[in-house]
C-alpha cells in the first residue's frame, strides 16, 4: 500500500503549482483523500480533502478560493491545484488517505511521502 506524491518545486509568489498523488495497493474509492502540509518548525496541518466520489470537498480557511482538490477514481490519483501562492504556503505537502472524510492528522490511515513546495516572495 503506497501513496506517491509529486509536483512540488519552487514557484514565485502569485504563481501556480499542481501536486499529484498516486495510490496503489488499496481500493481507492473506499478512502477519502486529503492533503496536509508542514512548514518548518510548525505542526502538520490540514489543507484540503475530497470525499470518496469526488463530489464533496473541504478546505482550510487559509487556502479556500486558491486551492482546488480533485480525484480520479479510475487512475487512482488525487491532485491539488494551487493558485495565487503566497510565501506562507511554503511547506512540505503530504497526501493522505482515510476511511473518514478527514480533517485532522489523527484521522489519517495512510500517509504518502512529502513533496516540498517553496514559494519565493
Amino acid at each position: 500500500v503506497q501513496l506517491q506524491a509529486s509536483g512540488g518545486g519552487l514557484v514565485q509568489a502569485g504563481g501556480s503549482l499542481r501536486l499529484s498523488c498516486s495510490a496503489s495497493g488499496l481500493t481507492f474509492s473506499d478512502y477519502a483523500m486529503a492533503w496536509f502540509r508542514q512548514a518548518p518548525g510548525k505542526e502538520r496541518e490540514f489543507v484540503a480533502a475530497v470525499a470518496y466520489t469526488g463530489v464533496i470537498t473541504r478546505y482550510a480557511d487559509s487556502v479556500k478560493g486558491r486551492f482546488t482538490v480533485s480525484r480520479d477514481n479510475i487512475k487512482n490519483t488525487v491532485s491539488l491545484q494551487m493558485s495565487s501562492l503566497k510565501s506562507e504556503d511554503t511547506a512540505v505537502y503530504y497526501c493522505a488517505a482515510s476511511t473518514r472524510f478527514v480533517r485532522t492528522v489523527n484521522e489519517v490511515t495512510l500517509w504518502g511521502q512529502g513533496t516540498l513546495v517553496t514559494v519565493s516572495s
Side-chain angles (χ1 to χ4, degrees):
V1 179
Q2 184 175 337
L3 300 176
Q4 185 75 32
S6 61
L10 175 64
V11 61
Q12 287 189 333
S16 299
L17 204 60
R18 185 178 181 87
L19 305 182
S20 294
C21 177
S22 178
S24 59
L26 71 165
T27 304
F28 189 66
S29 58
D30 284 351
Y31 291 84
M33 299 299 296
W35 290 92
F36 288 74
R37 67 186 181 187
Q38 188 165 18
K42 295 188 176 182
E43 294 186 350
R44 194 169 298 189
E45 65 176 6
F46 170 77
V47 176
V50 55
Y52 312 90
T53 64
V55 173
I56 301 173
T57 57
R58 67 158 59 115
Y59 297 92
D61 288 343
S62 59
V63 307
K64 204 170 291 184
R66 300 188 297 121
F67 290 12
T68 302
V69 62
S70 61
R71 65 188 292 161
D72 185 328
N73 284 355
I74 302 298
K75 296 181 179 179
N76 289 1
T77 59
V78 57
S79 298
L80 185 69
Q81 178 67 45
M82 305 184 292
S83 302
S84 302
L85 283 161
K86 307 175 182 179
S87 57
E88 52 263 44
D89 294 319
T90 294
V92 176
Y93 283 71
Y94 298 88
C95 66
S98 176
T99 54
R100 297 182 176 184
F101 189 25
V102 59
R103 189 194 294 270
T104 69
V105 296
N106 293 331
E107 296 172 298
V108 172
T109 303
L110 177 66
W111 291 100
Q113 98 292 358
T115 185
L116 177 63
V117 172
T118 304
V119 183
S120 63
S121 55

